[in-house]
Amino acid sequence: MKINAIAASHADRPLAPAQITLRDVQPEDVSIEILYCGVCHSDLHMARNEWGVSNYPLVPGHEIVGRVRATGAAVTRFQPGDLVGVGVMVDSCGDCHFCRQQEEQYCETGFVPTYNGTDRYTGRLTTGGYAEQIVVDQHFVVSVPQNLPLHAVAPLLCAGVTVWSPLQHLKLQPGDKVGVIGLGGLGHMAVKLASALGAEVTLFTTSPEKGADARRLGASQVVVSKDAQQMAAQQHSLDIILDCVAAPHQLDPYLACLKTNGHLVLVGIPDSPHPPTDVTPMVFRRLSITGTSIGSIAETQAMLDFCGQHNITADVELIDAGEVETAFSRMLQGDVKYRFVIDMQRARWDQ
């Protein structure tokens, strides 16, 4: 089936309207009309081939909220009209250790990404949410709470679950002290979710002007990381720090802010390595630097259910399909609070 989409045809060309082919609905498939799609920074990296793995034509988008149009004969979890979401992955081997324990994001053969992956049925490139529709195996589709504004739910499918997953893995408890580095798409969701889970949240930022917004989102204190005195006051005070910055920076000052047995969790991926880290405090205070990748389908559903119960959504700016390149430019300048979301219902395909 041919549908309309917004695609990158080459790394040095702007995204433009295009037609793509979706696979026929298989017995386990859900066909989804896309209503909204978040604009993740990785969409920009992939459109520009900044990671060197992009294949064209490339249709980005892995923060998808939509409505079920049709289902395959074997689908039991969804029916036409349901509000659903699709995140970063649309398939995995289903048989390895991690898939069997519902951690598909660590599939030993590699999960199939929502876009720029290989569709196991057709062998063609998978295509993402900058489009009218998508067809996805039911096991990689999640239910969306109906009480939340759908456009503000879309970023939860990537940014939300990416910070939710480590908090669950580390068994965050009410009263724990959590640091968040950076108040962007990931960081603002980390502040909201950690606070709602009962943590005392400290935001680290290089921009003092973000303090008021951080407190509005749930932070109890704000530390300007360029201020040595403010950083020194945080020494040995935090249980977990989520590093949401996707640029290389020194990790040592943040390790100093951890309590013994504390964890510094990297969720941002810089385009070059972080500077070397002094392992001495890690050894003597049993600290850890760890990383985490998105979240499983089960974690994504649990996070959405939690957000529905607590009325948590992303702070977004709604755009139409023709504004994606402008959104990319503004993202590079940090000019967004805190996620762009495309209203696919307003898309004009004759432009």
Side-chain angles (χ1 to χ4, degrees):
M1 178 175 62
K2 291 277 189 181
I3 64 161
N4 293 306
I6 307 163
S9 60
H10 195 274
D12 61 2
R13 295 174 191 159
L15 273 71
Q19 282 211 322
I20 59 172
T21 302
L22 293 184
R23 75 178 186 223
D24 293 335
V25 175
Q26 304 299 311
E28 296 273 358
D29 279 348
V30 178
S31 174
I32 302 166
E33 174 195 3
I34 298 173
L35 304 177
Y36 300 100
C37 185
V39 180
C40 180
H41 204 111
S42 60
D43 296 345
L44 171 58
H45 289 310
M46 291 295 292
R48 303 291 190 256
N49 198 23
E50 292 174 356
W51 291 333
V53 297
S54 300
N55 297 287
Y56 300 94
L58 184 143
V59 180
H62 57 212
E63 296 181 338
I64 300 166
V65 169
R67 182 176 289 108
V68 176
R69 298 178 65 253
T71 59
V75 172
T76 57
R77 300 177 53 226
F78 303 100
Q79 59 186 10
D82 286 350
L83 294 174
V84 295
V86 177
V88 178
M89 51 188 170
V90 292
D91 214 339
S92 68
C93 81
D95 193 47
C96 71
H97 167 76
F98 292 106
C99 287
R100 289 198 304 270
Q101 66 180 23
Q102 294 189 304
E103 289 188 313
E104 307 90 347
Q105 73 273 37
Y106 300 117
C107 176
E108 291 175 352
T109 62
F111 67 79
V112 178
T114 303
Y115 66 89
N116 199 55
T118 301
D119 187 304
R120 66 170 166 149
Y121 292 104
T122 67
R124 299 193 301 263
L125 280 177
T126 55
T127 54
Y130 294 15
E132 291 179 300
Q133 299 171 32
I134 192 168
V135 174
V136 182
D137 185 292
Q138 67 169 331
H139 300 288
F140 291 84
V141 179
V142 290
S143 296
V144 170
Q146 297 191 31
N147 62 303
L148 299 177
L150 297 182
H151 65 285
V153 170
L156 303 182
L157 277 302
C158 174
V161 73
T162 295
V163 295
W164 171 270
S165 181
L167 296 176
Q168 298 302 303
H169 180 70
L170 295 173
K171 296 179 170 58
L172 177 73
Q173 299 297 314
D176 284 353
K177 296 187 176 182
V178 173
V180 175
I181 307 174
L183 194 66
L186 289 170
H188 94 287
M189 287 309 309
V191 171
K192 287 189 177 192
L193 289 170
S195 176
L197 286 164
E200 181 181 322
V201 180
T202 297
L203 176 77
F204 294 93
T205 180
T206 58
S207 306
E209 63 274 12
K210 291 187 177 180
D213 223 22
R215 290 185 176 88
R216 174 184 65 83
L217 295 168
S220 57
Q221 61 179 331
V222 177
V223 175
V224 178
S225 56
K226 294 183 290 188
D227 187 318
Q229 188 173 358
Q230 290 188 35
M231 291 294 288
Q234 298 301 315
Q235 286 204 12
H236 303 179
S237 66
L238 302 173
D239 299 292
I240 301 168
I241 299 176
L242 297 183
D243 189 341
C244 301
V245 175
H249 57 277
Q250 290 285 349
L251 302 181
D252 292 345
Y254 299 104
L255 287 173
C257 296
L258 288 171
K259 299 177 182 177
T260 297
N261 294 319
H263 304 274
L264 174 60
V265 186
L266 307 179
V267 296
I269 303 176
D271 55 9
S272 60
H274 293 301
T277 299
D278 181 5
V279 301
T280 304
M282 298 176 65
V283 171
F284 282 99
R285 294 199 293 115
R286 199 159 57 186
L287 307 178
S288 70
I289 299 176
T290 184
T292 181
S293 174
I294 52 172
S296 69
I297 298 303
E299 285 176 319
T300 304
Q301 189 63 68
M303 178 268 308
L304 286 170
D305 293 343
F306 179 86
C307 289
Q309 294 162 9
H310 295 268
N311 291 308
I312 297 171
T313 55
D315 284 24
V316 305
E317 181 175 335
L318 204 57
I319 62 173
D320 64 41
E323 297 177 291
V324 173
E325 285 292 335
T326 301
F328 280 177
S329 297
R330 288 180 55 193
M331 282 168 57
L332 290 172
Q333 300 166 22
D335 179 24
V336 54
K337 288 186 175 181
Y338 284 97
R339 204 64 148 194
F340 289 113
V341 172
I342 306 169
D343 184 348
M344 299 308 302
Q345 301 160 102
R346 290 163 42 192
R348 292 182 56 191
W349 305 109
D350 55 351
Q351 294 179 340

